[in-house]
Amino acid sequence: MSELNKIALKIISNGKGILAADESNATMTKRLEAVNVNSTPENRLLFRESIFSSNGMKEYIGGVILYDETIKQMTSFGKSIPDLISSSGALTGIKVDTGIKDLENSSREKITEGLDGLRERLKKYYELGARFTKWRAVYVINDKHPSKLAVKNNSHALARYASLVQESRMVPIVEPEVLMDGDHSVDSCLRKTSEVIKKCFDELILHKVDLSGVILKPNMILAGTKSKDKISAEEISLKTLECLKNSVPEEVPGIAFLSGGQKEIEATENLNLINKNNNTKFIITFSYGRALQQSALRMWSKNTKDIESTQNTFNHRAKMCSLAAQGKWSNKLENK
Ligand code: 13P
């Protein structure tokens, strides 16, 4: 077993999943302002250190993805954030792309940037304690998109990123996200998500990336938010598994889904059914941002000194997601 494969398995095995706490300062500002909290470095740290010190971290979280600001912060009790994360038994991850920009000659599409100087930044992140990384490509879909141009450029960037990360002895999470926005059907989401994942792996293989040391972070197969289709959770799970089977090489050890704007319980129920119906060899778990932190953030915003209630709210959500990662979640357990 390669070192990279061992790291990947440590993050996603035994019902554990990933906490995506890597919101950029701009995104975190939106999240905090939505609950009437000022977005200062201190407040961003306070919320995050409360979550990272919770009991739920030890039992349900195998890895935490951080943003550049957070990985360099010291907690209010004098520990570095990577040390706090490793004291719970989880591994530290870091978002290394520098964000999305408009793709030239395709006005509605995006390209993810961050390859310049990446090798040097990776070296520093490793020294700070990071053992895995994330890079997110974003696709809009409709009858004209994604364009070949967007798929080619984003897949190429994901592959360059992944090979540089493995050279630095870290596990790359590759995230080709198809957005929920739009009126597309579930079948269009299935077709287009399969296409972008396949293209991504074609490029990873061309770049000689060790697929046993990669975690794929895809979207679930859903109808667009403006679609009239009413799709059951069972149907979502079967279409999502069909997508994984026809687009992900078998050497990949695991899949960690993003929540992408689904409600907390929706993202939990869908993951649960995907695992119940899992007829693949992949470990299938969560890498949620909003679907793990939303309720905890709302609770914290009511009284930022009430760490216990914030942690209890997070612990429950993390436990439910972990049960779903094992196909053992139920409505009854959710409401207990
Ligand atoms: P959400 O689960 O909120 O979509 O965030 C996951 C993520 O890391 C997106 O890049």
Side-chain angles (χ1 to χ4, degrees):
M1 212 194 274
S2 72
E3 271 312 303
L4 293 173
N5 182 244
K6 275 191 212 158
I7 295 175
L9 290 176
K10 184 169 159 46
I11 298 168
I12 57 176
S13 298
N14 305 318
K16 291 192 174 183
I18 300 170
L19 166 60
D22 61 325
E23 300 87 354
S24 64
N25 286 349
T27 301
M28 198 58 189
T29 298
K30 261 197 260 167
R31 304 265 188 272
L32 288 170
E33 288 179 351
V35 293
N36 301 313
V37 176
N38 276 340
S39 182
T40 59
E42 294 73 27
N43 281 341
R44 293 193 285 270
L45 174 66
L46 266 178
F47 174 68
R48 285 168 167 154
E49 72 175 34
S50 309
I51 299 292
F52 302 163
S53 320
S54 67
N55 288 330
M57 281 285 300
K58 296 191 191 87
E59 291 181 67
Y60 313 120
I61 303 296
V64 182
I65 318 174
L66 301 174
Y67 183 60
D68 181 72
E69 174 184 76
T70 323
I71 199 170
K72 297 170 180 161
Q73 281 177 319
M74 295 294 278
T75 61
S76 56
F77 40 91
K79 242 186 194 182
S80 77
I81 291 282
D83 281 352
L84 174 60
I85 290 169
S86 64
S87 68
S88 76
L91 293 180
T92 294
I94 179 79
K95 169 195 177 77
V96 300
D97 67 68
T98 55
I100 55 173
K101 295 278 158 58
D102 291 339
L103 175 61
E104 59 280 13
N105 297 326
S106 185
S107 61
R108 291 202 46 202
E109 298 192 290
K110 302 289 176 195
I111 179 74
T112 305
E113 296 194 340
L115 289 172
D116 288 352
L118 180 57
R119 182 178 267 139
E120 292 71 30
R121 286 193 292 127
L122 291 171
K123 194 162 179 282
K124 293 205 180 98
Y125 286 138
Y126 189 95
E127 283 161 9
L128 287 167
R131 292 297 176 269
F132 73 104
T133 65
K134 180 185 116 174
W135 179 289
R136 173 175 177 252
V138 186
Y139 294 104
V140 267
I141 59 169
N142 52 44
D143 42 351
K144 293 199 193 67
H145 299 112
S147 67
K148 274 193 183 157
L149 184 68
V151 178
K152 188 174 165 68
N153 280 306
N154 277 301
S155 302
H156 178 260
L158 278 163
R160 285 285 328 278
Y161 143 79
S163 52
L164 282 165
V165 169
Q166 289 194 336
E167 180 191 88
S168 303
R169 293 171 290 145
M170 294 186 278
V171 165
I173 293 184
V174 295
E175 181 179 6
E177 175 176 2
V178 171
L179 295 173
M180 283 165 71
D181 309 349
D183 60 4
H184 52 268
S185 67
V186 71
D187 285 323
S188 169
C189 182
L190 171 59
R191 215 170 41 250
K192 296 189 179 218
T193 303
S194 303
E195 178 195 335
V196 301
I197 294 177
K198 261 190 221 152
K199 261 286 179 317
C200 173
F201 279 110
D202 286 352
E203 285 291 324
L204 293 184
I205 291 165
L206 185 66
H207 286 71
K208 301 189 168 55
V209 171
D210 170 8
L211 298 186
S212 75
V214 164
I215 296 171
L216 175 69
K217 176 164 174 163
N219 49 285
M220 292 179 191
I221 303 303
L222 305 165
T225 45
K226 294 203 183 106
S227 162
K228 291 191 184 73
D229 287 3
K230 281 274 161 281
I231 313 294
S232 69
E234 179 71 14
E235 211 174 330
I236 290 168
S237 74
L238 296 177
K239 302 250 182 209
T240 302
L241 287 163
E242 187 181 337
C243 170
L244 299 181
K245 266 195 288 186
N246 68 27
S247 60
V248 186
E250 287 206 341
E251 299 93 303
V252 174
I255 316 287
F257 284 103
L258 59 96
S259 59
Q262 296 180 73
K263 299 271 173 291
E264 289 176 339
I265 296 188
E266 190 186 357
T268 312
E269 182 180 11
N270 287 338
L271 179 63
N272 186 57
L273 280 173
I274 292 170
N275 272 295
K276 272 200 156 159
N277 293 324
N278 187 3
N279 51 0
T280 71
K281 291 199 329 213
F282 307 122
I283 296 172
I284 301 185
T285 187
F286 56 91
S287 176
Y288 292 166
R290 283 161 288 181
L292 267 175
Q293 301 177 101
Q294 222 155 36
S295 294
L297 182 62
R298 231 176 283 126
M299 177 61 76
W300 180 72
S301 70
K302 287 188 206 155
N303 176 2
T304 56
K305 297 211 166 50
D306 185 2
I307 304 304
E308 196 183 335
S309 301
T310 305
Q311 291 182 338
N312 287 342
T313 308
F314 175 75
N315 291 343
H316 176 70
R317 204 64 257 134
K319 181 176 180 180
M320 293 301 112
C321 288
S322 169
L323 286 168
Q326 303 163 76
K328 292 181 182 164
W329 173 87
S330 69
N331 251 314
K332 200 165 156 210
L333 291 167
E334 180 67 51
N335 297 311
K336 217 168 165 182

